[in-house]
């Protein structure tokens, strides 16, 4: 299973773009990169998933370079409600293993 | 479609007691995973059940056990509770393996306090 490394915490201000980078040097060919968001006392919520290049949805964008050894979650124009913990998971969705390693995540604190 | 339901939401136990937590997955989902989250920590994987069989297991002592029923509902049990077992216990469901997209659907958790 690919191990991931993320910053422990980040601070931002409302209206700014926030980029959270996740390193996964030993990512395997069949692995996808999936990001989750967790608010206090709630279960995590799926944000976005990608395999290569760029993926965008209504919430975020995910940038994955050609070597796939890292990925960047981009949150455009954050608001106070984006204060949460963000987890990067790497694994093959076709097997059960990808969900076993969540790590500590990145605590994003958005200030007014 | 109803989401993942966990019961009870909150409970208080004393050391040495045991506890059983329940998780009802989204209708049609056959995989249920359990996680422990202590304050300020990430999610620690406990185990996963698929079609009533344990498919994966995390690094927790034998006091932590689980099972899954034919309707995909799952329970986890913690025996001989310790203070360190105080945590938010989360369960997540996902569709059958062939439909896996990597998207886990989490419940709101059961918050256990051990005194």
């Amino acid at each position: 299973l690919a191990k991931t490394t993320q910053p422990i915490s980040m601070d931002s201000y409302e209206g700014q773009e926030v980029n959270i980078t996740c390193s996964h040097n030993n990512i395997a060919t069949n692995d996808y990169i999936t990001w989750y968001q967790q608010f206090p006392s709630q279960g995590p919520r799926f944000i976005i998933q990608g395999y290569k290049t760029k993926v965008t949805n209504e919430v975020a964008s995910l940038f994955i370079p050609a070597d796939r050894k890292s990925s960047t979650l981009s949150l455009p124009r954050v608001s106070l409600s984006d204060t949460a913990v963000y987890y990067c998971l790497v694994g093959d969705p076709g097997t059960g293993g990808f969900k076993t390693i969540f790590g500590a995540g990145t605590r994003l604190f958005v200030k007014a | 479609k109803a989401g993942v339901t966990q019961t009870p939401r909150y409970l208080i136990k004393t050391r040495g007691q045991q506890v059983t937590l329940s998780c009802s997955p989204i209708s049609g989902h056959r995989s249920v995973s359990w996680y422990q989250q202590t304050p300020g920590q990430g999610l620690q994987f406990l185990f996963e059940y698929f079609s009533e069989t344990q498919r994966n297991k995390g690094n927790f002592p034998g006091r932590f056990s689980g099972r899954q029923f034919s309707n995909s509902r799952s329970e986890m049990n913690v025996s001989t509770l310790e203070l360190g077992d105080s945590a938010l216990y989360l369960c997540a469901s996902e569709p059958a393996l062939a439909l896996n997209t990597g998207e886990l659907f989490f419940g709101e958790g059961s918050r256990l306090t051990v005194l």
Side-chain angles (χ1 to χ4, degrees), chain A residues 56-75:
Chain A
T56 297
N57 61 22
E58 65 279 5
V59 176
S61 294
L62 180 59
F63 297 92
I64 306 167
D67 66 7
R68 305 203 321 125
K69 293 184 183 298
S70 66
S71 58
T72 299
L73 175 72
S74 181
L75 305 172

Side-chain angles (χ1 to χ4, degrees), chain B residues 12-56:
Chain B
I12 299 173
K13 294 286 188 178
T14 56
R15 279 180 297 175
Q17 288 187 311
Q18 73 165 16
V19 66
T20 298
L21 308 177
S22 178
C23 174
S24 293
I26 291 173
S27 177
H29 286 193
R30 293 169 59 189
S31 166
V32 173
S33 301
W34 287 89
Y35 298 85
Q36 180 197 65
Q37 186 170 38
T38 49
Q41 301 299 310
L43 281 72
Q44 302 297 313
F45 175 77
L46 281 157
F47 28 65
E48 179 201 3
Y49 287 87
F50 180 81
S51 293
E52 302 179 65
T53 301
Q54 189 178 86
R55 185 161 69 175
N56 280 302

Side-chain angles (χ1 to χ4, degrees), chain A residues 21-60:
Chain A
T21 297
C22 178
S23 297
H24 28 82
N25 290 319
N26 59 339
I27 188 169
T29 302
N30 293 332
D31 288 348
Y32 281 68
I33 300 144
T34 310
W35 286 81
Y36 284 81
Q37 173 192 57
Q38 185 182 26
F39 298 114
S41 297
Q42 293 186 24
R45 180 178 72 107
F46 173 93
I47 301 176
I48 197 167
Q49 183 184 72
Y51 183 81
K52 62 180 178 180
T53 63
K54 177 184 174 182
V55 179
T56 297
N57 61 22
E58 65 279 5
V59 176

